[in-house]
Amino acid sequence: MYDMQATLVEARRAPLRVALEPARRARAAAWTLGFAAPLYLAMRGGGYETVLRDQVGVALWWIVLVGALVGALPLAHPSRAQLTMLGALVGFAAWTGVGALWSQSNGLTVGELSRLSCYAAVLTLAILTVRAGARGALVGGVTSAIGAVAVLALLSRLHPAWFPANETAAFLPGTQSRLNYPLNYWNGLAAFVAMGVPLMAHYAATARALALRMLAAASLPAMAAVIYLTFSRGGWLEMGAAVIVLLALSSGRLWRLATLAIGAAGGALLIAAIHQRPAVDHGLLNTAAQKGGNELIVVALVVCAGVALLQGAIALLEGHVEGGRALASRSSLLPRGLLARAVVTAVVAAG
C-alpha cells in the first residue's frame, strides 16, 4: 500500500518537474548571458578596443541570425516596449550612419556606428532569448559579473604579483595610484562598480536563499574600496545617485537602508585600513606595499565576513517581522460578525 501511494505521489510530481525544467533552463541561460558577456569584456580591457568590439558585435549578430533560423534559440515574444526600445536604438544607429555624409571624420563616425551595432546586437539577443520569468536571472548574472570584477580589481591592488603589470601607469606615470585593472581606465572601473552597488544591495535584501543574501552583502565593502582606490569623484556621485534611486523605488526601504548601512560601515572600515597603509594606497610596488597588501587581505576577509553575518541577522529579523505582519493581516481579514458569532456560540456552549 505504501509503495502504491509513493508511486501515485511521484506520478503527480512528474508533470510539475517537466514543466519547471524549461523555466530552469531559461533562467540558467539568462544568468549565463548576463554574467559571461560583461565579465569577458571587462577582462579584455573593458572592450574599448575597436577590433574587439567589432568581433563581439559580429559574433552576436551571427548567433541571433543563425540561432533564429535553425531554432536553437528559445525565442521569446517581445513586448511593445522592448520593440520600441530596440527600434529607437536601431534608428539612432541608422542616423549615425547617415551622419557620415557630412561628418568631418568618417573613421570616427564608422567607429560609433560599430559601437551602436554591437549594443543593438546585445539588446536583440536579450529580447529574443530572455523570457519574462528569466529577466531577474539576467540582472543577477550582470550583478555577479560586476561583483567578480570588483573582487579581482581589489586583489590586483592588494597582491599585484598575481596580476599583469599596470599598463596604464606605464603610459601615464601620474596615474600609478589610480586603480584601473581590469578595464585599464580608472573612471570606467569606478562607473562599472558603482552601477553594481545598488544591484548588489538589492539582492542582499531580496534573494531567496540566505547564503546568497550574505554573499551579496559581503561584496559591498570590497566594491566601496574599489571605488575609493580609483580616486574617481564621478564614481562616488554615480553610486550615490544610484543608491537614492534604489531607496526611492524600493517598497521595504527600512530593510534596504539597513543593508546599505552595514555595507557602508564595512566599506568605511576597509577604506580606513587602506588609508593607514600609504604604500598600498598609492599603488607602490615596494616591500611595504607587499606587507600592507597581505595584511589588508586578512582585514578585507574579516570585514566582509562580519558584514555577511550582520546581513544574515537582518534577513532573519526581516523574515520574523514581515511574517508576523502577514499573519496579523490575514487574521484581520476575518469578518467581525463571524468572530462575534463564534464567541457567542462558545459562551452558550460553556453555559
Side-chain angles (χ1 to χ4, degrees):
M1 178 65 69
Y2 176 78
D3 294 339
M4 184 178 295
Q5 292 178 349
T7 304
L8 291 175
V9 171
E10 187 67 21
R12 292 171 182 171
R13 292 178 177 175
L16 180 60
R17 285 200 302 268
V18 172
L20 289 177
E21 281 303 319
R24 289 175 179 173
R25 288 198 298 268
R27 289 195 296 269
W31 188 93
T32 303
L33 175 64
F35 179 79
L39 183 63
Y40 173 76
L41 291 175
M43 300 308 296
R44 292 295 301 272
Y48 294 109
E49 186 180 352
T50 304
V51 175
L52 174 64
R53 186 174 62 245
D54 293 344
Q55 291 174 346
V56 172
V58 170
L60 291 177
W61 277 120
W62 272 110
I63 291 174
V64 170
L65 295 176
V66 176
L69 288 175
V70 303
L73 295 178
L75 298 182
H77 297 287
S79 64
R80 182 178 299 178
Q82 291 173 336
L83 292 177
T84 301
M85 181 169 53
L86 180 60
L89 181 58
V90 172
F92 181 52
W95 177 253
T96 301
V98 173
L101 298 176
W102 58 79
S103 173
Q104 296 180 354
S105 175
N106 290 334
L108 292 177
T109 303
V110 172
E112 289 302 313
L113 178 60
S114 173
R115 186 199 308 272
L116 293 172
S117 176
C118 183
Y119 292 163
V122 173
L123 181 59
T124 302
L125 185 62
I127 289 176
L128 293 180
T129 60
V130 180
R131 299 175 181 177
R135 291 168 188 167
L138 177 68
V139 178
V142 174
T143 306
S144 301
I146 297 175
V149 170
V151 171
L152 291 173
L154 182 59
L155 284 175
S156 72
R157 174 57 64 88
L158 302 185
H159 207 299
W162 293 346
F163 299 87
N166 190 345
E167 298 178 358
T168 304
F171 289 98
L172 301 171
T175 64
Q176 177 71 32
S177 61
R178 292 177 176 265
L179 180 63
N180 59 72
Y181 179 85
L183 273 66
N184 296 328
Y185 179 42
W186 55 91
N187 284 325
L189 177 62
F192 186 69
V193 175
M195 289 189 295
V197 169
L199 296 175
M200 198 66 74
H202 171 74
Y203 278 99
T206 61
R208 293 183 179 180
L210 180 61
L212 292 179
R213 291 194 181 193
M214 296 172 65
L215 183 61
S219 65
L220 291 175
M223 298 173 80
V226 168
I227 297 176
Y228 164 76
L229 287 171
T230 61
F231 297 98
S232 172
R233 292 187 296 271
W236 289 113
L237 292 175
E238 291 161 5
M239 186 187 70
V243 167
I244 291 174
V245 172
L246 172 66
L247 292 175
L249 298 179
S250 298
S251 55
R253 295 186 182 89
L254 178 62
W255 303 112
R256 306 295 183 277
L257 189 60
T259 298
L260 290 169
I262 61 172
L269 290 175
L270 187 53
I271 291 172
I274 294 173
H275 188 67
Q276 292 173 357
R277 295 162 175 82
V280 178
D281 199 2
H282 296 292
L284 303 181
L285 299 175
N286 53 23
T287 305
Q290 183 178 0
K291 179 182 177 182
N294 292 333
E295 294 172 351
L296 283 170
I297 289 177
V298 177
V299 172
L301 290 174
V302 172
V303 169
C304 293
V307 171
L309 292 175
L310 288 175
Q311 180 59 30
I314 290 175
L316 294 175
L317 179 61
E318 180 184 4
H320 177 74
V321 173
E322 297 299 331
R325 289 177 180 175
L327 181 61
S329 64
R330 286 195 297 267
S331 299
S332 64
L333 295 177
L334 187 65
R336 294 183 179 180
L338 180 60
L339 180 61
R341 287 194 294 271
V343 172
V344 172
T345 302
V347 171
V348 173

